[in-house]
Amino acid sequence: MAQLAMNRPEVIQSLIDGVDRYNPDNISILEEYLATQCQNEEYDLMANLAALKLYQFNPHLTNDRVIINILAKALTAVPAPDFNLCLYLLTEPMIIDESIKQLTALHQLLEQSRYAKFWETYKSDPAYEQLVSEVRGFSHAIRTIVARVVSMTHQQIASPLLESYLDLSGEDFAAFVKEQNWELKGAIVQIPVNKDNEAKTVVIRENIKFEQLTKVIGYSNEM
């Protein structure tokens, strides 16, 4: 999900741009805006960072559930560095909290493109689903991340492998493939050629001076 810019409410834009950014009385506005993001499948990194900054300056206002939701939304922005930017604004006690450690583990798997392991971990403990329960469309957003990476690196991919990357099978898998404008052909998924997955010819030119060439020829004559 891309960061909102054009669709950011005027009141949020004014808050972010002005001195009121550091006014603790505004934390409720940012928290309500985050709730809207979670419900409407929208995302605004700058507003969420502003909320975390207010928590940093006013620890007594900290809402753990809000922090979890901010980090969960940041997961849907991988490979952008949003998740790490949010972590930098957390205190050490927050970072070592079990919930934050679980979300960090998911983030690392996404960054490493270990998608099958991501879903295995995510489904291994109901606590993971509970952590992202307030973020509507979370699983689909993660699958969109996977699809974007796959489309950049493949022109075709084995269906079973892609199914493991997406944690989808059967009709759900076929529907997702169609949604991406890919083509399912038996055990292979065909991905249209684009500027990222297109094979490019690389021409290597080496400049050899005449003096170097004569040395090579001279050496070969001595052999």
Side-chain angles (χ1 to χ4, degrees):
M1 296 183 182
Q3 176 188 327
L4 292 178
M6 299 298 292
N7 297 329
R8 181 182 291 139
E10 185 177 344
V11 62
I12 300 297
Q13 187 67 55
S14 298
L15 190 156
I16 292 175
D17 292 340
V19 293
D20 268 357
R21 181 188 184 104
Y22 302 103
N23 185 345
D25 293 337
N26 290 323
I27 188 60
S28 60
I29 298 175
L30 292 170
E31 291 173 342
E32 290 173 8
Y33 182 44
L34 172 64
T36 299
Q37 294 174 53
C38 292
Q39 181 62 31
N40 297 343
E41 299 184 41
E42 298 172 344
Y43 180 55
D44 192 331
L45 172 64
M46 295 307 296
N48 296 342
L49 289 176
L52 292 179
K53 198 68 177 177
L54 281 177
Y55 287 158
Q56 189 180 52
F57 291 153
N58 307 274
H60 63 287
L61 297 177
T62 299
N63 185 319
D64 293 341
R65 184 69 235 188
V66 168
I67 292 175
I68 288 171
N69 286 344
I70 287 176
L71 291 175
K73 292 296 293 184
L75 282 178
T76 67
V78 172
D82 299 20
F83 191 91
N84 285 331
L85 290 175
C86 293
L87 279 186
Y88 295 151
L89 294 179
L90 302 184
T91 63
E92 186 173 347
M94 293 179 187
I95 293 175
I96 63 175
D97 178 81
E98 185 61 27
S99 297
I100 306 301
K101 288 168 65 176
Q102 288 178 308
L103 289 173
T104 301
L106 293 179
H107 176 252
Q108 290 173 344
L109 292 173
L110 286 177
E111 278 204 323
Q112 296 165 3
S113 298
R114 299 174 62 191
Y115 304 126
K117 184 64 176 176
F118 170 89
W119 293 113
E120 178 187 336
T121 302
Y122 178 68
K123 298 172 71 174
S124 67
D125 186 342
Y128 285 103
E129 290 191 37
Q130 182 60 35
L131 286 175
V132 302
S133 61
E134 295 183 13
V135 179
R136 186 176 181 181
F138 176 82
S139 293
H140 188 271
I142 298 300
R143 293 186 177 106
T144 300
I145 291 172
V146 176
R148 188 180 305 123
V149 174
V150 169
S151 68
M152 292 173 61
T153 54
H154 295 74
Q155 291 185 11
Q156 62 179 31
I157 184 172
S159 298
L161 179 60
L162 185 57
E163 287 177 345
S164 71
Y165 285 175
L166 297 171
D167 190 41
L168 291 174
S169 59
E171 293 183 0
D172 291 335
F173 176 71
F176 187 87
V177 168
K178 184 177 181 180
E179 179 184 313
Q180 302 304 312
N181 295 316
W182 299 345
E183 188 174 358
L184 181 59
K185 291 186 175 181
I188 296 294
V189 173
Q190 299 280 358
I191 300 170
V193 175
N194 56 64
K195 64 181 180 64
D196 295 307
N197 68 7
E198 183 178 14
K200 298 178 177 63
T201 302
V202 178
V203 178
I204 300 176
R205 292 186 176 87
E206 293 187 9
N207 297 320
I208 301 178
K209 295 181 179 179
F210 180 75
E211 294 83 356
Q212 295 173 312
L213 184 60
T214 54
K215 289 182 180 179
V216 172
I217 295 174
Y219 178 75
S220 63
N221 289 336
E222 294 174 1
M223 296 179 66

